[in-house]
Amino acid sequence: MTTTAERTTTTTEPEIKRKKKSRAFSPWGVVAWIAGLAFFFPVFWMVLTSFKREADAASTPPKLFFTPTLDQYGEVFNQGIGPAMLNSLFATGISTLLVLLLGVPAAFALSLRPVRKTQDALFFFMSTKMLPIVAAILPLYVIVSNIGLLDNIWALVVLYTAMNLPIAVWMMRSFFLEVPAELLEAASLDGASLWRAVREVILPLVSPGIAATALICVIFAWNEFFFAVNLTAVNAQTMPVYLVGFIAGEGQYWAVLSAAATMAALPVILCGWFAQNKLVRGLSFGAIK
């Protein structure tokens, strides 16, 4: 008759062997690390260059050892990065919120509560992404000009919402399809209303998908350049348009441009950092699985 300790040892030995095997050297792990470092190196070099003086940034060969300085960041703030940053934060935040408020109910209706001709509705959503932006900019410019929203941040909010809404509906629908429909039936049998069942049962389950969808919408809206450069001038200038101002004909100012680009990338990096736990779970199933 085996003791409890012996049974524990017997049952855990295969687990220990599996753990040791999983920690063994893998050439694919080395390849993954090299690929990851290669993708990260341009970002690292951008941040490193932002702490250089212009002479050090333009030197050939590049200087790896230098005296760091914050002068470039001071120059960026002196050239008015604040309004452009606030405009991008406002347009991105409000448009992402509107996309979630409109896209989540639509995705729920097309998945757990399907309507007639669901596939036709989905195709209509995606057909709005098939028209090239350059083909739509002229009528959009005329419409925005006629309603008095040229160089107005609300015009970008509306356009960014329309731009990201089809993607959000498709992504959220795939996340909702992962939820068993029996959960809604069980909640209704317990006397819960549809709104309460969605709020307390369904939404907590798809919250990683909502986080992943929101982050993708944030990235698309934050990086959008074509609408911003054609429909804004000074008052509604966003970060991508602001960065173009550092590209001058008399020469490239790499250090100050790197500082401005670092400031532009920082909000999106922070969003991804704070949402990383839900983001990993959200990207592991659904639309991009």
Side-chain angles (χ1 to χ4, degrees):
M1 185 173 182
T2 59
T3 62
T4 303
E6 290 174 346
R7 286 199 302 269
T8 304
T9 304
T10 304
T11 55
T12 56
E13 282 179 357
E15 297 178 3
I16 295 174
K17 291 180 180 179
R18 283 197 298 269
K19 289 181 181 180
K20 289 182 178 180
K21 186 177 180 180
S22 63
R23 294 176 183 175
F25 174 78
S26 173
W28 290 111
V30 177
V31 173
W33 271 101
I34 294 175
L37 292 175
F39 279 107
F40 176 74
F41 180 77
V43 179
F44 167 76
W45 192 255
M46 176 187 71
V47 176
L48 189 68
T49 305
S50 67
F51 292 100
K52 295 181 179 180
R53 294 180 174 84
E54 289 295 344
D56 296 332
S59 63
T60 303
K63 286 187 177 181
L64 294 177
F65 302 98
F66 57 91
T67 303
T69 178
L70 295 176
D71 293 344
Q72 310 307 331
Y73 288 94
E75 181 66 21
V76 167
F77 282 100
N78 290 335
Q79 294 191 26
I81 192 177
M85 180 75 76
L86 291 177
N87 286 334
S88 285
L89 289 173
F90 183 84
T92 301
I94 299 299
S95 65
T96 302
L97 181 61
L98 291 175
V99 165
L100 294 179
L101 290 176
L102 297 173
V104 171
F108 174 79
L110 294 171
S111 56
L112 297 180
R113 294 287 185 176
V115 296
R116 291 182 59 189
K117 297 184 178 181
T118 297
Q119 294 300 323
D120 294 341
L122 290 171
F123 178 77
F124 171 75
F125 287 141
M126 291 309 297
S127 66
T128 60
K129 302 294 294 181
M130 297 178 185
L131 180 67
I133 297 179
V134 68
I137 190 61
L138 183 58
L140 285 175
Y141 184 90
V142 173
I143 293 172
V144 171
S145 178
N146 289 337
I147 62 178
L149 288 181
L150 275 180
D151 201 17
N152 191 307
I153 195 62
W154 283 105
L156 295 183
V157 170
V158 173
L159 291 174
Y160 291 172
T161 303
M163 176 183 70
N164 288 327
L165 187 57
I167 301 173
V169 171
W170 270 81
M171 288 187 61
M172 286 307 306
R173 178 177 179 268
S174 65
F175 295 133
F176 277 120
L177 289 175
E178 299 287 337
V179 179
E182 290 77 10
L183 290 177
L184 275 179
E185 297 177 1
S188 62
L189 290 176
D190 290 338
S193 63
L194 178 61
W195 167 242
R196 183 179 179 185
V198 171
R199 186 181 72 250
E200 298 183 5
V201 178
I202 304 300
L203 289 183
L205 292 176
V206 299
S207 58
I210 295 176
T213 303
L215 185 60
I216 289 178
C217 292
V218 165
I219 292 173
F220 285 170
W222 185 269
N223 293 336
E224 200 284 322
F225 175 77
F226 194 75
F227 286 146
V229 77
N230 285 284
L231 301 178
T232 67
V234 178
N235 297 328
Q237 186 184 61
T238 59
M239 284 301 300
V241 180
Y242 171 81
L243 291 176
V244 176
F246 289 93
I247 302 176
E250 62 271 13
Q252 305 300 329
Y253 300 96
W254 294 113
V256 69
L257 179 59
S258 297
T262 301
M263 292 293 297
L266 189 60
V268 178
I269 294 175
L270 291 177
C271 288
W273 178 265
F274 287 119
Q276 60 178 330
N277 292 332
K278 290 185 177 296
L279 185 63
V280 171
R281 290 179 57 199
L283 294 180
S284 64
F285 68 96
I288 19 187
K289 181 172 69 174

